[in-house]
């Protein structure tokens, strides 16, 4: 008997969807079909590939009324927030808009004797392993530019959002993208590793845990298959003495708590200049106390359950350990907190970097707030992390933000905003957050390989 993947709904613990995984033979056959289809797909005019991909994106948008409650059932995001199509479309649209320029040949020189240039060649077959927290937006980051660049794509989505890959594949196929060019597959970990180790793919893009990223790299070891990873964060916010306090509190607390804290670039640590600390804390507690924890299908709910009971348990353990070590919890347990997936959002003070809640990724609705007295102190604390995805700086001084940003070990520096992915910028990280980069022109560079042409026109 083959393995069955089951999506357990955080709403009530019921099985919302289940799918059988592919056998090893069927999985390798799917990859082979993708490889066989790649040359014809890459031979199509770039404008045609762009048009088909954007038609697929639009077809996903047409499903949004069904997708929004489906996401609530699968991973708990409240329906009041309307799903992900805005960001999904923004990211794909930007990559479509820059494709002609980003994929154009790099002209080196040409005269009567020589013509020299560099082409961007698609890798071939790209495996996209996507996470559940923003299942459409994270997948499209790679799916759209990979297809536009001339690759074929095999998508393996997270079990928690089991139906997302099916939705995307159905939409893209209906729009005219050939079935073998973009495939959704259900795989177990062993088969995924076997495919990578067996050179079934030319490039692997993985978004998920550090452990998952290590497994991808181990599987690819010795194959020379490129692996791009985005593995998590412990993203800090720093509120300087000249910050707009109201904007800082509202944005950073939203960045910490939105999606029940289940954001790759969610704010998990906040450092506040001593001159703002008391006022910041008071306002932050007031905001969180105004949340309504409850069933995500209820339009009054502003914060839903975490996607899985075990995710909530990890956050509870981090909070309880911190409180036992002297941290102060500021939010009273909410009525809907059931000790399971429904978790009271929490603000902690009197925290230290010896506590797991300030070091390990929480990926839940909890944030620790610390008082600082200088940029130097804040920089040292922000860099005291194994992760490096984003950092959010709050100041009216652009040059100061640039100066501080240059000293922070991170992939993105925000000033006066947080928790946003700009498709015009490279989405990247450092340290245990992983390596590689998505979106922007650099995203295209990572989904293609350079091929140099040194053409001598005359031989005498």
């Amino acid at each position: 008997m083959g393995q069955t993947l089951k999506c357990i709904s955080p709403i009530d613990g019921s099985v919302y969807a289940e799918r059988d995984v592919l056998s090893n033979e069927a999985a390798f056959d799917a990859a082979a079909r993708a490889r066989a289809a790649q040359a014809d797909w890459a031979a199509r005019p770039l404008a045609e590939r762009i048009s088909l991909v954007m038609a697929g994106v639009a077809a996903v948008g047409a499903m949004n009324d069904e997708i929004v409650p489906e996401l609530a059932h699968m991973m708990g995001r409240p329906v009041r927030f309307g799903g992900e199509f805005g960001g999904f479309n923004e990211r794909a649209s930007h990559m479509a808009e820059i494709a002609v320029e980003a994929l154009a040949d790099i002209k080196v020189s040409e005269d009567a004797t020589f013509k020299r240039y560099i082409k961007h060649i698609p890798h071939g077959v790209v495996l996209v392993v996507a996470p559940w927290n923003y299942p459409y937006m994270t997948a499209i980051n790679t799916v759209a530019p990979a297809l536009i660049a001339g690759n074929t794509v095999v998508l393996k989505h997270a079990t928690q959002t089991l139906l997302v890959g099916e939705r995307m594949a159905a939409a893209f196929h209906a729009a005219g993208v050939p079935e073998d060019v973009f495939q959704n597959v259900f795989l177990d970990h062993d088969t995924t590793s076997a495919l990578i180790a067996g050179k079934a793919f030319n490039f692997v893009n993985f978004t998920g845990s550090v452990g998952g990223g290590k497994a991808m790299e181990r599987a690819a070891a010795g194959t020379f298959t490129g692996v791009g990873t985005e593995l998590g964060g412990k993203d800090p916010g720093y509120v300087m003495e000249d910050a707009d306090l109201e904007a800082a509190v509202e944005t950073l607390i939203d960045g910490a708590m939105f999606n029940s804290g289940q954001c790759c670039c969610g704010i998990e640590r906040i450092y506040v200049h001593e001159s703002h600390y008391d006022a910041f804390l008071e306002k932050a507690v007031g905001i969180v106390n105004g949340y309504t924890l409850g069933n995500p299908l209820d339009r009054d709910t502003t914060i839903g359950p975490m996607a899985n009971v075990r995710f909530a348990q990890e956050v509870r353990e981090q909070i309880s350990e911190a409180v036992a070590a002297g941290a102060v919890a500021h939010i009273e347990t909410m009525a809907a907190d059931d000790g399971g997936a429904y978790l009271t959002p929490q603000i902690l003070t009197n925290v230290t970097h010896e506590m797991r809640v300030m070091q390990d990724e929480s990926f839940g609705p909890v944030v620790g707030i610390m008082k600082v007295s200088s940029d130097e102190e804040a920089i040292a604390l922000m860099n005291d992390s194994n992760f490096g995805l984003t950092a959010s700086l709050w100041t009216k001084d652009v040059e100061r933000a640039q100066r501080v940003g240059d000293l922070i070990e991170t992939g993105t520096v925000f000033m006066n905003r947080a928790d946003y992915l700009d498709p015009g910028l490279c989405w990247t990280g450092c340290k245990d957050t992983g390596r590689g980069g998505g979106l922007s022109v650099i995203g295209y560079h990572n989904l293609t390989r350079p091929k140099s042409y040194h053409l001598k026109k005359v031989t005498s």
Side-chain angles (χ1 to χ4, degrees):
M1 290 291 290
Q3 181 184 345
T4 299
L5 303 176
K6 295 183 179 182
C7 169
I8 307 300
S9 175
I11 292 178
D12 56 10
S14 63
V15 176
Y16 182 69
E18 52 187 312
R19 296 290 186 272
D20 293 333
V21 300
L22 293 179
S23 67
N24 198 71
E25 181 181 4
F28 272 92
D29 180 65
R33 293 198 311 273
R35 187 169 301 283
Q38 192 269 324
D40 286 344
W41 175 250
R44 296 194 186 202
L46 175 57
E48 182 181 342
R49 297 198 303 268
I50 292 171
S51 177
L52 287 169
V53 167
M54 291 312 298
V57 169
V60 171
M63 300 176 177
N64 202 52
D65 287 346
E66 301 164 70
I67 285 172
V68 170
E70 197 168 81
L71 285 174
H73 280 288
M74 288 191 293
M75 51 76 65
R77 186 184 305 127
V79 294
R80 68 180 291 144
F81 297 117
E84 301 177 20
F85 185 69
F88 181 88
N89 184 59
E90 178 188 32
R91 297 173 187 189
S93 296
H94 179 80
M95 297 308 287
E97 288 165 6
I98 68 169
V100 171
E101 182 176 357
L103 294 170
D105 295 348
I106 300 172
K107 297 178 181 178
V108 178
S109 68
E110 184 173 11
D111 56 25
T113 305
F114 288 101
K115 181 175 184 178
R116 298 182 299 153
Y117 60 100
I118 303 166
K119 290 181 71 71
H120 298 284
I121 305 298
H123 286 305
V125 184
V126 174
L127 172 66
V128 179
V129 184
W132 51 264
N133 62 318
Y134 282 93
Y136 285 93
M137 289 198 291
T138 52
I140 203 63
N141 290 351
T142 307
V143 170
L147 290 172
I148 288 171
N151 300 285
T152 52
V153 172
V154 177
L155 173 62
K156 175 193 179 299
H157 224 298
T159 302
Q160 194 65 51
T161 43
L162 202 56
L163 304 182
V164 171
E166 280 188 343
R167 286 275 188 193
M168 288 183 63
F172 277 59
H173 297 160
V177 175
E179 291 188 6
D180 289 342
V181 167
F182 178 35
Q183 299 179 58
N184 174 66
V185 295
F186 299 108
L187 304 173
D188 60 26
H189 296 320
D190 289 344
T191 302
T192 303
S193 294
L195 286 164
I196 297 170
K199 296 187 177 183
F201 309 113
N202 302 100
F203 187 81
V204 176
N205 183 269
F206 174 81
T207 305
S209 69
V210 173
K214 289 179 179 179
M216 296 289 157
E217 292 199 343
R218 281 194 297 268
T223 68
F224 305 110
T225 300
V227 179
T229 52
E230 196 249 280
L231 307 177
K234 194 72 184 173
D235 291 9
Y238 171 33
V239 182
M240 304 179 199
E241 69 276 8
D242 67 336
D244 180 331
L245 182 61
E246 292 285 348
V249 176
E250 290 178 7
T251 303
L252 289 174
I253 295 302
D254 182 66
M257 303 299 174
F258 187 76
N259 207 38
S260 298
Q262 299 165 135
C263 302
C264 299
C265 58
I267 297 296
E268 297 206 0
R269 304 174 284 147
I270 300 176
Y271 306 101
V272 182
H273 189 270
E274 57 192 4
S275 62
H276 282 317
Y277 180 82
D278 290 339
F280 185 98
L281 177 60
E282 180 181 0
K283 292 176 186 294
V285 170
I287 290 171
V288 175
N289 276 328
Y291 291 161
T292 299
L293 174 66
N295 189 318
L297 297 172
D298 185 341
R299 298 202 70 84
D300 291 332
T301 294
T302 55
I303 185 166
M306 293 193 67
N308 192 288
V309 172
R310 63 187 172 89
F311 304 153
Q313 184 59 30
E314 168 63 14
V315 179
R316 284 192 174 90
E317 289 175 2
Q318 289 189 20
I319 293 170
S320 63
E321 289 172 16
V323 171
V328 177
H330 290 267
I331 308 300
E332 295 292 331
T333 301
M334 294 181 174
D337 190 324
D338 63 351
Y342 291 85
L343 171 66
T344 299
Q346 190 56 264
I347 292 173
L348 298 174
T349 58
N350 202 34
V351 290
T352 71
H353 275 221
E354 282 65 52
M355 299 172 180
R356 283 205 308 131
V357 77
M358 296 298 282
Q359 288 289 335
D360 291 359
E361 185 171 34
S362 302
F363 217 64
V366 59
V367 65
I369 303 176
M370 294 178 67
K371 183 188 300 183
V372 296
S373 59
S374 67
D375 288 351
E376 291 72 23
E377 182 182 8
I379 290 166
L381 289 167
M382 285 189 282
N383 285 341
D384 182 26
S385 173
N386 290 328
F387 298 102
L389 185 56
T390 79
S392 176
L393 307 179
W394 289 81
T395 175
K396 294 182 174 67
D397 187 337
V398 174
E399 291 184 358
R400 182 181 180 186
Q402 291 174 315
R403 186 170 61 251
V404 171
D406 286 345
L407 298 173
I408 301 171
E409 297 161 351
T410 189
T412 294
V413 175
F414 291 115
M415 173 182 164
N416 298 334
R417 77 174 311 170
D419 192 21
Y420 172 71
L421 196 159
D422 183 337
L425 297 174
C426 182
W427 190 243
T428 186
C430 60
K431 300 192 282 190
D432 283 0
T433 289
R435 63 180 181 180
L439 298 176
S440 76
V441 65
I442 293 173
Y444 277 119
H445 293 173
N446 286 333
L447 290 166
T448 56
R449 65 175 179 86
K451 184 175 183 178
S452 294
Y453 287 76
H454 193 150
L455 310 179
K456 188 177 181 181
K457 299 179 181 179
V458 296
T459 58
S460 61

